[in-house]
């Protein structure tokens, strides 16, 4: 079990033009991540690009005290982990499509397998496993490292 994410590919609007012009030519998720992960909510969370393949992306959410949900137990709150997975899901769709196009999250489900570790950063890895003309389907896991067991996703 992992995060299930269904997205709709939205038509481009004039407000998307600056980003679209920046990413013309060969698609490179590492280059794109330097733009999308430094702005707005992903930038505030401090999300970091870890890697990608033909249909997957891995991002990291660093541990920060201000992202802790309960001071009695210093683990990252659920909200930032869900945001990590949502951003990785969108980027996995862009990688699978080979281009940057805005997407909207329609359904994001989270299955909790175990609690997060204290003071631990989280890696979120999401794979786009199916695409149609108007929707994409992804699944992913969040873990403490690439080799560790999954946790809340």
């Amino acid at each position: 079990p992992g995060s299930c994410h269904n997205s709709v590919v939205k038509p481009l609007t004039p407000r998307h033009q600056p980003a679209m012009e920046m990413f013309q030519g060969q698609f490179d998720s590492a280059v794109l991540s330097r733009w999308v992960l430094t702005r707005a909510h992903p930038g505030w969370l401090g999300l970091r690009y870890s890697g990608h393949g033909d249909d997957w992306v891995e991002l990291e959410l660093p541990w920060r005290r201000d992202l802790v949900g309960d001071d009695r137990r210093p683990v990252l709150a659920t909200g930032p982990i869900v945001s990590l997975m949502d951003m990785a899901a969108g980027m996995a769709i862009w990688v699978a499509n080979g281009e940057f196009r805005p997407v909207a999250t329609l359904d994001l489900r989270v299955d909790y397998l175990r609690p997060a570790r204290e003071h631990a950063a989280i890696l979120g890895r999401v794979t786009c496993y199916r695409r149609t003309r108007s929707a994409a389907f992804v699944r992913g896991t969040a873990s403490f490292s690439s080799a560790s067991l999954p946790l809340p996703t």
Side-chain angles (χ1 to χ4, degrees), residues 53-104:
D54 291 341
D55 60 357
W56 62 270
V57 166
E58 185 175 85
L59 302 178
E60 179 185 8
L61 172 63
W63 186 89
R64 287 193 345 231
R65 178 153 303 284
D66 63 326
L67 299 179
V68 169
D70 181 352
D71 287 334
R72 293 173 294 176
R73 186 153 186 262
V75 299
L76 290 171
T78 302
I81 295 172
V82 171
S83 294
L84 163 73
M85 299 307 291
D86 190 41
M87 189 72 226
M91 289 184 72
I93 293 166
W94 298 335
V95 166
N97 286 337
E99 67 177 334
F100 169 74
R101 297 211 46 194
V103 296

Side-chain angles (χ1 to χ4, degrees), residues 97-114:
N97 286 337
E99 67 177 334
F100 169 74
R101 297 211 46 194
V103 296
T105 302
L106 295 182
D107 185 13
L108 179 62
R109 298 178 192 173
V110 178
D111 297 318
Y112 291 92
L113 303 179
R114 67 187 46 82

Side-chain angles (χ1 to χ4, degrees), residues 23 26-37 48-54 56-59 90-96 98-100:
F23 303 112
Q26 181 67 32
F27 179 78
D28 184 341
S29 65
V31 171
L32 177 71
S33 71
R34 288 193 296 269
W35 190 77
V36 299
L37 298 180
R48 295 184 209 154
Y49 172 81
S50 295
H52 76 280
D54 291 341
W56 62 270
V57 166
E58 185 175 85
L59 302 178
M91 289 184 72
I93 293 166
W94 298 335
V95 166
E99 67 177 334
F100 169 74

